[in-house]
Amino acid sequence: MTGARAPHRSLQLVLGIIAMATIANLQYSWVLFAAPLDQRFHWGRPALQFVLGIFVLTETWLVPLAGWLADRYGPKPVMIAGAVLVASGWMMNADATSLVALYAAAMLGGAGAGAVYGVSVGNALKWFPDKRGLAVGLITAGYGAGSAVTAIPILHMIEAKGYQTAFLSFGLAQGLMVLAVGLLTTAPARPVMRAAVAAVAQTVRDFAPREMLRSRIFWLMYLMFAMVGVAGLMAIAELPVIARDFGITHSPVGFIGLMLPALSFALSIDRVFSGLTRPFFGWVSDHIGRENTMAIAFGLQGAGIWALYAFGHDPATFVVLSGVVYFTWGEIYSLFPATCADTYGGRYASVNAGFLYTAKGTASLLVPLGAYLSAMTGGWHAVFALAGALNILAAALALLVLRPWRRAHAAANGTTRNRARSA
């Protein structure tokens, strides 16, 4: 990395964070619009929740397409297209008078969010081969941070001027912001990595998506991503039920002068801890290796879930252990893209990471199994046992299977370390 390029790649990282923070409202602020929509049209909460489901699935499953387009034609046109789709989706919501129109708008917004996500993550992987974990962690942390900044202004506008005005105003503003970012977004013209620039081993050969999809390493990572994803989602979904069964839902818990009910306290730290974990564990993985970091994070989450089951009767302990669960879940969005690019190279990093990201969609489809298991067993205990076990299994797979497989892959295809030793 030359000194001239360093400021430029830092700018590209900041642009990616801004873009991700801008589109966060499409997912995280939807709940603010559900109530006024239901009051006007009486469609019911399940039908309105399905809008969010359509958005998440569209956003997730279209990331590989956005990544392929970005790798082939550059990030700028894909990001600009994402801006148009993002704005169109929310502005269409303002005039929607049927569920079909809302569902169509969710698909437009999801496609736009997938374009922004694929470009932002892929660009970080290409510009920061020496700090992929940290760079992608910062990018994905922005996805949650944006909603924390704008949720209150959106709520105030809904209350003061109605949900239609809020959809129009923020839809247009978000589209213009992503458009501005897109006009400035560029990919590196050539590889920005010299031999052994990274602390972790990286392949010197670039694998096309079709080659990656034939690799057993990819499918192992996909399985692990889905396992940890669904385990965390199931555990988090059961927190209100656990607090109720333990009788601590409204028990006060104090922290540095702040006093909140136990459940509200636990839920309020979701965005903060879920955001912090991504750059933190990404940074750790840049220094001690991806698999070692996976084993630590997944193992801590499994232990945290089981400890919450065993010791969560105390309100303060419930809040602390909930924080452990939140803090050790979101890191999958930084660790797996970085590992994918390390394994399969930077040229096709956007599309390859996009294919792996679809494991998030798979995990979301599997979350209802937790509710089914809870209904079958008459409680949440089996769900927590399964969630903890999935994390512990994923931690073991990281060390006992993924690490030796990736070492054999590196030996067959060469790494930056090997090249450095032979130089």
Side-chain angles (χ1 to χ4, degrees):
M1 174 63 59
T2 65
R5 284 178 182 163
H8 182 65
R9 73 169 186 165
S10 297
L11 171 62
Q12 294 302 310
L13 180 64
V14 171
L15 290 172
I17 295 172
I18 292 173
M20 292 286 275
T22 300
I23 66 168
N25 286 321
L26 277 72
Q27 177 175 342
Y28 293 117
S29 294
W30 174 253
V31 65
L32 302 177
F33 294 94
L37 280 167
D38 193 32
Q39 288 174 4
R40 179 180 178 184
F41 296 106
H42 307 289
W43 287 323
R45 285 303 182 92
L48 291 171
Q49 281 296 106
F50 191 57
V51 174
L52 183 60
I54 291 175
F55 169 85
V56 171
L57 288 177
T58 305
E59 179 259 337
T60 303
W61 290 96
L62 287 181
V63 169
L65 175 60
W68 178 81
L69 291 171
D71 287 339
R72 186 174 181 86
Y73 301 107
K76 193 184 302 293
V78 182
M79 186 74 84
I80 292 173
V84 174
L85 291 169
V86 164
S88 299
W90 264 36
M91 295 174 75
M92 184 175 173
N93 282 335
D95 295 325
T97 56
S98 69
L99 283 173
V100 173
L102 278 183
Y103 296 159
M107 294 180 68
L108 287 177
V116 174
Y117 196 105
V119 168
S120 301
V121 170
N123 234 28
L125 292 171
K126 293 177 180 180
W127 277 110
F128 290 87
D130 53 331
K131 301 174 182 178
R132 278 180 174 143
L134 175 60
V136 176
L138 290 170
I139 289 286
T140 55
Y143 194 59
S147 62
V149 174
T150 56
I152 293 178
I154 288 176
L155 181 59
H156 286 169
M157 183 171 287
I158 292 174
E159 293 174 346
K161 299 183 179 181
Y163 75 87
Q164 297 99 325
T165 301
F167 269 136
L168 284 171
S169 300
F170 280 88
L172 181 60
Q174 289 164 176
L176 290 174
M177 180 66 74
V178 175
L179 176 62
V181 169
L183 293 173
L184 297 173
T185 300
T186 60
R190 62 182 65 87
V192 296
M193 180 176 60
R194 62 175 181 265
V197 72
V200 295
Q202 299 174 12
T203 181
V204 297
R205 186 165 90 80
D206 294 307
F207 287 75
R210 62 181 178 277
E211 296 179 286
M212 181 192 70
L213 292 174
R214 292 197 297 265
S215 167
R216 63 181 184 176
I217 296 175
F218 170 79
W219 292 108
L220 175 61
M221 290 194 294
Y222 195 97
L223 174 65
M224 293 168 60
F225 195 143
M227 287 168 58
V228 177
V230 71
L233 288 171
M234 287 194 303
I236 291 169
E238 294 293 331
L239 283 182
V241 181
I242 297 167
R244 183 196 65 199
D245 287 355
F246 285 167
I248 60 171
T249 299
H250 302 292
S251 299
V253 176
F255 179 70
I256 56 172
L258 180 66
M259 189 71 68
L260 288 173
L263 180 60
S264 299
F265 206 150
L267 296 177
S268 67
I269 61 179
D270 175 12
R271 302 279 174 82
V272 177
F273 278 25
S274 181
L276 289 176
T277 184
R278 304 177 192 203
F280 173 75
F281 279 110
W283 173 79
V284 170
S285 75
D286 289 334
H287 291 81
I288 70 171
R290 313 298 184 205
E291 294 90 350
N292 292 336
T293 308
M294 289 179 185
I296 293 171
F298 302 164
L300 283 174
Q301 184 177 160
I305 290 172
W306 284 342
L308 187 60
Y309 168 81
F311 307 111
H313 298 80
D314 176 72
T317 304
F318 176 85
V319 172
V320 171
L321 291 175
S322 297
V324 172
V325 174
Y326 283 128
F327 188 68
T328 53
W329 178 70
E331 82 288 333
I332 55 178
Y333 299 110
S334 57
L335 295 183
F336 283 106
T339 308
C340 184
D342 291 343
T343 307
Y344 299 110
R347 180 178 178 184
Y348 305 103
S350 300
V351 60
N352 286 344
F355 274 113
L356 187 57
Y357 180 69
T358 62
K360 173 188 174 183
T362 301
S364 67
L365 292 174
L366 294 175
V367 170
L369 293 178
Y372 177 76
L373 181 60
S374 179
M376 289 289 293
T377 59
W380 48 266
H381 308 279
V383 176
F384 256 48
L386 175 60
L390 287 173
N391 274 281
I392 299 300
L393 177 57
L397 288 173
L399 293 179
L400 302 179
V401 184
L402 181 61
R403 182 162 62 182
W405 281 11
R406 288 217 312 133
R407 284 177 175 173
H409 174 87
N413 296 282
T415 66
T416 53
R417 287 177 176 175
N418 292 340
R419 178 180 287 181
R421 293 192 186 101
S422 62

